[in-house]
Amino acid sequence: MKLYTAIAAVALSAASAVSAFAETTEITWWHAMGGRLGEVVNEISDNFNASQSDYKIVPVYKGNYEETLTAGIAAFRGGQQPDIIQVFDAGSATIIGAKGAVIAAEDLLKANGGSFDSADYISGVRNFYADDAGKMIGMPFNSSTPIMYFNEDAMAKAGVTPPKTWEEFQTVTAPALKAAGYIPMAQSHTPWIFTENFMSRHNLPFATAHNGYGEGDVKILVNNDAIKSHFKAVKGWIDDGSFGFYGAGWADNQTPFENGEVAMWLGSSGSFGGLSKTVKFPFSATYLPYWEGVTSEPTNTFIGGAALFAMAGKSEAENKATAEFFRFLTSPEVQYMWHRETGYVPVTNAAYELAAKDGHYDRTPAAEIGIKQLALPGGDNTKGYRMGFYVQIRDVMNREYGKIFSGEKSVDDAFATIEEDANKLLARFAKTQG
Amino acid sequence: MKRAQFSRPLFPYLLLVPQLSIIAVFFYWPAAEAIRGSFFLEDPFGFGSTFVGFDNYYDAVTGSEYLNTARFTLVFTALVAFFSLALALLLAVKADIVLRGAKTYRTLLMWVYAIAPPVAGLIGILLFDQSIGPITDLAGLFGYELKLGVNYWDTAFAMVLVSVWKQIPINFIFFLAGLQSIPRPVREAAMIDNPSGLSRFFTITFPLLAPTGFFLLIINITYALFDTFGILDILFKGEPANNPITLVYKVFLDGFRGNDLGGSSAQSVILMVLVLVLTVFQFRFMERRVHYN
């Protein structure tokens, strides 16, 4: 009898607890932000929960980008999907291609009582997670772009300035830095920096059908002379000591720069916050170099990073909560805080203006480089790219680039393999959508 | 021979139900799903799927790197199985004759067994790190620039070394137990007949250890094929690039990272068949040469 009383008491208190919170709609947010970034994500969520009492967001860390997407897919198939999932650039074709997996951010915001104008978003940001017509499907969240960091001591010692073009790097900067005892340059993500953004910086088409945004068969256009001569040059630089290649791992290439062995490092604009804490020497950043022989009008780069997607199959109340959170997240104050704490770019013009007004870029000019580079004049091929199975395509690139740099394969052969393997993967992906 | 009979004939099957249902749920069901999935190209979210017949198998086997990966997997498995067995046997034979402090010595040798594969991989990364790794420094002393993650062969060397190191203790435990079960009179008789230690080992000890060795061979081959996954994943830091990978790692890459469920399923079915063939081969041809008592 006592047991029944206890159970009844527990049930009763649970019921009253539910009714007390019936007003609050709880939503979950699966993300891939570990370490310091995860702390900032929690802070944003706490601030949102404290700012009002109708909604409560629960952020859950699900591992790295790939693990988060895979967990989200498994959960979706089991009907247990979160309200919001963070999906990275290379995975965006997978989630957007699955018609019915997500609600477009633009539709969600419009349906839940609010105006939405994509022109509020920074030009380099607004198209990447949009459809061909420009409707925003993913809400850009942590957005960064590759920029060139340089060790100011090293530049002074060698008596050079950071190169604007690769021609300048090859003839002036690299020899001077080498003579000063430095490895002139390294970079941390060959597919992202030397492929995707190489295309964008030079306004070269990366795939058919509007870089994959449009209808029809998508074929990769990576096997072209401009990028092949770039890789031939890089291989030459590695051989004569003008360039350091430390493998496909991000940190392995960043560490030599932090140790002061490498004078210039191509990394993410989002690396800025971390670098300011670890690096002992004065450093700054500037735009990614371009080949004058390819273009005289270099264009903006793509964003990298990830976006938040509102997953389908949720109740009206939860969708409303998600919309409210998106609105909170893209408010200038939150964006500025995110930008300041992490180094990722603010995604709206209003947040950018707020950061400028607050003097953020007077204190740390390098923090502005990413945004300025994203806001450079664009072209037909600089909105982004959308290709299925792109994670494997990047793996293929990493594999073949490794072979080029170690001398196992010629540049021409490696790019022929990349084109062939990537197109096979794209054709396979097209079939999964059938 | 008299057969034991239960009075209720269904009762033994009832007793088997828990075990059988576990096998069915955790092995046969996923295996059947993999076989079914290998004939489809499916949208990861489960919206669309196309029946493609044997296309997934064809695409997998004709992939530009598949044969290289398969060849590497064979060599890797052979090296890991051979070295972890050989070194463990050597250590066990030596530990068997230690008199003073034998327990401490053995415990120290078994210790490593408690280390989880990903931790072993982390230790491997520390040892082979490009900037601070002691093994990298050691190779540097001899004028060799060892580059984990950049040079194909250097990474392969690190993979084999860490995998072997991780597997030696369990082999050591089994070999030591095997050695200690060899009856003392047999050894003493052999000692009188043959004064050469080496020859005694190969004519008396080794054949008597054969059942243990055969069991361990199977365990080690499956270890090298499948269980080294945790070590490799950490050593690659999630970016395999131009490093050698094993077939199992490729299944993971395509399925979990790439969300290519069909292709990944086809590859795992190929692996299932491979393991089946290997097991049949081992039991049909090798076990005949092994004598249990």
Side-chain angles (χ1 to χ4, degrees), chain A residues 243-308:
Chain A
F243 199 97
F245 178 67
Y246 304 88
W250 183 281
D252 289 336
N253 290 283
Q254 184 176 348
T255 311
F257 175 72
E258 291 174 331
N259 293 344
E261 296 158 33
V262 166
M264 293 184 287
W265 172 66
L266 309 181
S268 162
S269 59
S271 312
F272 180 79
L275 276 180
S276 347
K277 292 199 175 69
T278 51
V279 163
K280 305 273 191 301
F281 49 82
F283 76 95
S284 190
T286 185
Y287 297 157
L288 221 53
Y290 61 95
W291 285 97
E292 224 171 353
V294 177
T295 178
S296 53
E297 288 166 13
T299 39
N300 71 277
T301 47
F302 298 147
I303 46 169
L308 303 186

Side-chain angles (χ1 to χ4, degrees), chain A residues 42-359:
Chain A
N42 290 338
E43 214 177 309
I44 292 176
S45 306
D46 289 345
N47 291 346
F48 175 70
N49 294 338
S51 72
Q52 40 72 43
S53 57
D54 294 340
Y55 317 107
K56 181 167 185 275
I57 191 160
V58 182
V60 184
Y61 174 65
K62 296 300 272 188
N64 63 28
Y65 285 141
E66 285 93 353
E67 288 161 356
T68 305
L69 178 59
T70 305
I73 288 170
F76 186 85
R77 296 181 72 131
Q80 305 284 321
Q81 70 272 30
D83 296 273
I84 302 172
I85 184 168
Q86 182 187 18
V87 177
F88 66 133
D89 47 8
S92 55
T94 305
I95 190 160
I96 294 173
K99 301 271 177 294
V102 296
I103 308 171
E106 190 167 332
D107 292 343
L108 183 81
L109 286 168
K110 280 182 178 161
N112 287 286
S115 60
F116 179 88
D117 187 359
S118 65
D120 292 345
Y121 292 79
I122 287 182
S123 58
V125 171
R126 72 173 81 111
N127 293 304
F128 197 93
Y129 304 101
D131 64 13
D132 204 24
K135 181 163 91 177
M136 271 171 62
I137 297 172
M139 175 57 75
F141 176 52
N142 56 320
S143 305
S144 58
T145 203
I147 57 175
M148 183 169 74
Y149 291 95
F150 54 90
N151 179 336
E152 288 181 284
D153 287 348
M155 303 315 256
K157 206 169 145 196
V160 287
T161 52
K164 286 203 167 46
T165 65
W166 287 115
E167 281 90 348
E168 185 188 345
F169 171 77
Q170 181 160 284
T171 53
V172 182
T173 326
L177 283 166
K178 243 185 342 184
Y182 290 95
I183 296 167
M185 186 182 277
Q187 64 83 36
S188 269
H189 197 317
T190 332
W192 186 47
I193 300 175
F194 275 177
T195 316
E196 294 147 29
N197 279 292
F198 181 90
M199 299 297 186
S200 183
R201 191 88 174 102
H202 297 92
N203 195 16
L204 298 167
F206 189 23
T208 58
H210 300 172
N211 277 1
Y213 286 94
E215 296 293 320
D217 267 2
V218 181
K219 291 224 170 347
I220 202 165
L221 298 172
V222 75
N223 193 2
N224 64 59
D225 290 336
I227 195 168
K228 280 198 283 190
S229 45
H230 178 66
F231 274 87
K232 282 172 191 162
V234 174
K235 170 67 177 142
W237 299 336
I238 290 174
D239 290 344
D240 73 14
S242 302
F243 199 97
F245 178 67
Y246 304 88
W250 183 281
D252 289 336
N253 290 283
Q254 184 176 348
T255 311
F257 175 72
E258 291 174 331
N259 293 344
E261 296 158 33
V262 166
M264 293 184 287
W265 172 66
L266 309 181
S268 162
S269 59
S271 312
F272 180 79
L275 276 180
S276 347
K277 292 199 175 69
T278 51
V279 163
K280 305 273 191 301
F281 49 82
F283 76 95
S284 190
T286 185
Y287 297 157
L288 221 53
Y290 61 95
W291 285 97
E292 224 171 353
V294 177
T295 178
S296 53
E297 288 166 13
T299 39
N300 71 277
T301 47
F302 298 147
I303 46 169
L308 303 186
F309 288 86
M311 297 204 82
K314 292 292 180 180
S315 69
E316 285 296 311
E318 288 183 38
N319 285 344
K320 176 135 182 47
T322 302
E324 286 305 321
F325 178 69
F326 279 178
R327 214 160 273 144
F328 174 82
L329 185 69
T330 48
S331 68
E333 293 74 23
V334 176
Q335 280 296 311
Y336 176 37
M337 173 261 200
W338 173 246
H339 172 46
R340 200 180 49 221
E341 294 297 319
T342 64
Y344 283 113
V345 301
V347 296
T348 62
N349 292 315
Y352 177 35
E353 281 155 23
L354 179 68
K357 215 173 81 189
D358 191 53

Side-chain angles (χ1 to χ4, degrees), chain B residues 82-252:
Chain B
F82 176 76
F83 280 110
S84 40
L85 285 172
L87 292 174
L89 183 58
L90 182 72
L91 288 170
V93 169
K94 295 296 174 199
D96 194 35
I97 50 176
V98 167
L99 293 176
R100 258 172 221 276
K103 272 195 178 150
T104 322
Y105 183 57
R106 287 171 199 167
T107 311
L108 283 175
L109 278 170
M110 293 173 197
W111 219 354
V112 184
Y113 184 54
I115 295 174
V119 180
L122 267 184
I123 295 174
I125 281 200
L126 287 177
L127 291 175
F128 284 92
D129 188 274
Q130 284 181 34
S131 330
I132 53 163
I135 294 186
T136 310
D137 292 343
L138 186 73
L141 284 183
F142 294 97
Y144 182 76
E145 202 185 348
L146 197 149
K147 279 186 141 182
L148 178 74
V150 180
N151 185 312
Y152 184 94
W153 300 111
D154 291 350
T155 313
F157 172 69
M159 284 160 66
V160 173
L161 191 85
V162 178
S163 304
V164 167
W165 171 69
K166 170 81 188 73
Q167 185 64 3
I168 285 176
I170 186 162
N171 293 344
F172 170 77
I173 296 170
F174 276 98
F175 274 133
L176 191 66
L179 281 172
Q180 293 185 336
S181 69
I182 297 175
R184 189 156 274 280
V186 176
R187 295 197 209 188
E188 281 167 359
M191 254 200 260
I192 296 165
D193 287 343
N194 192 339
S196 154
L198 201 66
S199 154
R200 229 168 37 235
F201 174 78
F202 281 109
T203 50
I204 306 292
T205 318
F206 194 68
L208 284 171
L209 269 181
T212 313
F214 175 66
F215 164 74
L216 283 179
L217 182 68
I218 297 175
I219 294 288
N220 278 269
I221 288 176
T222 45
Y223 163 77
L225 275 175
F226 299 102
D227 298 349
T228 48
F229 175 86
I231 296 174
L232 306 194
D233 192 41
I234 298 285
L235 276 178
F236 299 145
K237 303 174 196 171
E239 287 296 341
N242 185 30
N243 294 306
I245 56 172
T246 60
L247 289 170
V248 171
Y249 198 75
K250 192 165 157 45
V251 170
F252 163 75

